[in-house]
Structures are given as C-alpha cells and as structure tokens.
Amino acid sequence: MKINEVEQQVNITKKNIRFYEQQGLLSPKRNLENGYRDYSEEDVTELKKIKMLRKLSLPLEEIRRIQKGDLILTDALQRQVILLERERASLEETTRLCQLLSEETCQYQTFSPDKYLERMVEMEQEGTKFLNVNRHDIRQKKLGPIIFSFLFILIMIGSIAGLIWEYVTDSISLWLMVLFLLIPITMILSVIAVLLQRMKEIEGGEEDVARKY
C-alpha cells in the first residue's frame, strides 16, 4: 500500500513515517516496477507499535533495541513506569509551586523571585525536574555528529599545520602548499555544512507525539 493509505490507517503523519524509516525502525519494501515504497500489513502493525511506545515516551533507541531483541518489552515498560512516576512526582511538586505563586503574587512587575528560586533549587536537589526531558532524544542524536565533526576538523587542522611547517622549513614551495591547503580547508567547510544541515534535520525530525499524531 502507499504512504497515504498508511497515514490514514495509523493516523500518523507522513513526516513521522519517513522519520522512522530514516531511524531504521521501519523498512518497507520497494515496488520493483516504479521504485516506490510498498507498505505491507506488517509495516502498518509495526508503525502502530512504534506510535504506541512513543506516546508512552519511550526513547527511540529503546524501541530500536526492543525490535532487535536486545531489550525485553516488559523490562523497558517497567523502567518507563519508574521514570513516569518520577515525572508525576515532579509535576505534582511543580503544580504545588505554581499554586503557591498564584496565591502569593499579584503582579509580574512587583513580585520577588528569590525565595521561589531557592525553593526550586531545593526541589531539584530532591529530584524534581523542571527541564523538558522530551528533548533527550534530540541531544543524543546531536552528540555523535558533533564529536565526529570535531575530531575530523582536528585532523584536518593538523594536516594544515603540517603543510605550513613544510613550507617554513623550505620543504615545499608556496604555490604547492596553497594547492595542498585547499584540500583540508574544503573538507572542513564541507563537514561544517553537513553538520549544520544534520542539526537542522534533527531539530525538524519527529513531530511532537502528543500534539501532532
């Protein structure tokens, strides 16, 4: 079946379907005649499983491990229960703080945030989370490309330094050094461009599961 049919059956956006394919969570076959993706009933079932687990806030990496058999579904769900209990406790504490703020403050311009910030520090020390934990996947995806690009650029900088040293010691001529310098410089610029594009793709990857499914 075509992606439009899958979108209607699973009630999931085309963007998310393609995103899960890019992440290796879904591998539909292609029609040999036209090269288009040909989704099967098994693909639809798999997408429904992914959709359900994402709605339960399971990370993509854990879903990938479950699919491969490296992680038992019940173990992943039990761990998720613990995390969700912690989040619920954090949400309850945050709710109480919001209620306290609404009762004690009148105007934004006049209230003093110091004592509330102190209380928030205490709450964080007790385990309350105020940050958006749903961005964990994005941070994890960014880490790999950034580390690779950093190491690659360091190697290219080393090559540039070596070429300059060769020129200083009169081992190569100026025009030859400039010619050779173009290679690592071009590669550095290319890596930076690819990295920026990858960061943009990651930020614009999976649509919010709670609002846009």
Side-chain angles (χ1 to χ4, degrees), residues 59-206:
L60 295 173
E61 183 55 36
E62 290 202 4
I63 297 175
R64 187 178 292 110
R65 291 178 61 201
I66 291 170
Q67 288 180 330
K68 292 180 179 179
D70 296 335
L71 178 63
I72 299 173
L73 177 59
T74 52
D75 290 345
L77 292 174
Q78 284 298 321
R79 182 161 55 189
Q80 192 65 9
V81 167
I82 295 172
L83 292 174
L84 291 173
E85 287 290 347
R86 291 176 182 172
E87 289 184 21
R88 183 174 67 178
S90 295
L91 183 58
E92 289 174 354
E93 289 295 324
T94 304
T95 302
R96 281 194 284 270
L97 182 59
C98 287
Q99 184 64 34
L100 179 64
L101 272 164
S102 68
E103 293 172 355
E104 294 185 356
T105 62
C106 296
Q107 299 294 330
Y108 174 80
Q109 290 79 3
T110 58
F111 92 95
S112 175
D114 293 338
K115 70 173 183 178
Y116 301 109
L117 287 173
E118 290 176 5
R119 176 56 187 149
M120 291 175 77
V121 170
E122 293 174 0
M123 291 168 65
E124 286 177 326
Q125 292 173 348
E126 294 168 358
T128 301
K129 300 290 185 181
F130 292 104
L131 297 178
N132 182 7
V133 295
N134 291 328
R135 294 191 62 81
H136 173 74
D137 284 337
I138 292 179
R139 289 196 297 269
Q140 288 295 103
K141 291 191 192 73
K142 285 183 176 180
L143 187 60
I146 289 174
I147 292 176
F148 172 82
S149 300
F150 177 75
L151 293 176
F152 183 85
I153 289 173
L154 278 182
I155 294 173
M156 291 299 100
I157 291 175
S159 301
I160 292 172
L163 287 170
I164 294 175
W165 174 255
E166 291 289 330
Y167 170 71
V168 170
T169 56
D170 293 329
S171 298
I172 59 174
S173 62
L174 177 61
W175 70 269
L176 193 58
M177 181 197 70
V178 172
L179 180 63
F180 285 152
L181 279 178
L182 289 176
I183 299 174
I185 291 174
T186 301
M187 294 181 73
I188 287 174
L189 294 176
S190 299
V191 167
I192 292 174
V194 171
L195 178 62
L196 292 175
Q197 180 62 31
R198 181 57 181 152
M199 295 299 103
K200 184 178 179 181
E201 290 173 356
I202 291 173
E203 285 290 346
E206 184 183 20

